[in-house]
Amino acid sequence: MKTGTDGANRLGHGNHQNGNGTKHQNGSGGNGVGTNREVVARWRVPMHGKIYEIEFEHGTASGKRVLWIDKEEIFRRDWMFKLVGEDTFKLDDKRCIIRVDPLPGFKYCYSLFVDGKSYEQFTESQAKALKTWEINLKDNFYRIVLEKNTLNIYVNGKLIEESGEFVDGGTETTFIEDGNRFVLSARTSGNKREGIVHSLEVNGATVGDSASSNSDENGDNGDAQ
């Protein structure tokens, strides 16, 4: 079993990324992912129990721009005389913008904004709002996400309908997946600063703890080459 985590993966991928989710690319094109693809930037965006992988192509000779979300092509603009500017799209119910800015030496900077926030700001807010567990049970993988503000629970991106029951010190929500019994508990810590403590049990076994999960999952938040 992998241990529970607060939030989600905050690192994007690309040729160069600084701490705010911005990518830098020189004028020679993309990283050659796939035939005739010029992917210059990738971001992983946690939202509503899912992690969306966003890929952006930019042909610096033709001005071509292509947006992919989870390997599905969302839009394609093959010839654009203006090599910089913004492209707008929706991710679930959130308005997103990819902005292409010029840099010295015929280079370009790619930035993602989600719901009016920079990529870094949005993923940081999600890290505070979400509690996530990733579990392997035999041949099955489960990603359990709790939205702390709404108390919605998602299993592999699907919202479950079960309601919590009041127990001593808090609530428990029980749901069954593939014969496995999950119990998600929310209990008062007794510490005003710590607030509510969320924990998950699967078939009677506790799944990890927040302290160990943060070191395992979040990794280095510096530059990605």
Side-chain angles (χ1 to χ4, degrees):
M1 291 185 182
K2 297 182 71 177
T3 57
T5 68
D6 281 314
N9 189 338
R10 294 163 53 192
L11 291 179
H13 303 276
N15 293 285
H16 179 81
Q17 176 193 337
N18 61 26
N20 62 10
T22 300
K23 315 296 191 292
H24 298 163
Q25 172 71 31
N26 62 31
S28 61
N31 59 8
V33 177
T35 304
N36 298 324
R37 292 188 62 189
E38 297 177 287
V39 177
V40 295
R42 290 185 177 89
W43 298 271
R44 287 167 55 85
V45 180
M47 188 184 301
H48 300 320
K50 302 178 183 178
I51 293 183
Y52 294 93
E53 182 171 337
I54 298 174
E55 297 177 291
F56 185 64
E57 294 186 50
H58 186 216
T60 54
S62 66
K64 177 186 71 174
R65 299 182 193 179
V66 186
L67 175 69
W68 301 80
I69 299 178
D70 293 338
K71 308 302 181 184
E72 179 182 352
E73 184 177 310
I74 304 303
F75 68 68
R76 174 182 293 269
R77 299 183 178 94
D78 284 322
W79 291 96
M80 297 185 67
F81 292 104
K82 188 176 181 181
L83 296 179
V84 297
E86 295 183 350
D87 287 289
T88 302
F89 61 98
K90 280 288 190 76
L91 195 61
D92 274 358
D93 56 346
K94 307 297 184 185
R95 182 174 182 266
C96 302
I97 296 173
I98 292 178
R99 191 172 71 198
V100 182
D101 292 308
L103 292 174
F106 198 53
K107 297 180 180 180
Y108 298 91
C109 174
Y110 305 91
S111 304
L112 174 66
F113 298 86
V114 182
D115 198 27
K117 301 175 182 177
S118 70
Y119 171 77
E120 177 72 8
Q121 291 172 332
F122 182 80
T123 53
E124 284 184 355
S125 67
Q126 290 293 89
K128 296 176 182 178
L130 304 178
K131 176 79 174 179
T132 304
W133 297 265
E134 293 184 349
I135 308 135
N136 285 293
L137 293 175
K138 296 182 179 179
D139 295 329
N140 296 317
F141 171 79
Y142 302 97
R143 187 170 189 271
I144 314 297
V145 178
L146 169 68
E147 287 184 342
K148 297 177 185 178
N149 56 342
T150 64
L151 300 183
N152 287 337
I153 300 172
Y154 297 86
V155 179
N156 294 340
K158 182 180 179 181
L159 178 66
I160 67 170
E161 302 297 332
E162 281 75 3
S163 300
E165 297 182 356
F166 288 102
V167 296
D168 186 26
T171 63
E172 288 185 350
T173 303
T174 301
F175 51 97
I176 306 296
E177 295 289 333
D178 303 313
N180 298 299
R181 185 174 184 267
F182 294 78
V183 179
L184 200 158
S185 300
R187 298 182 185 275
T188 303
S189 65
N191 184 323
K192 186 176 181 180
R193 187 173 182 178
E194 189 175 358
I196 303 297
V197 175
H198 300 93
S199 61
L200 180 69
E201 290 186 358
V202 183
N203 299 329
T206 300
V207 181
D209 62 81
S210 298
S212 62
S213 70
N214 286 338
S215 62
D216 291 342
E217 294 292 329
N218 289 344
D220 182 12
N221 198 31
D223 291 347
Q225 298 294 337

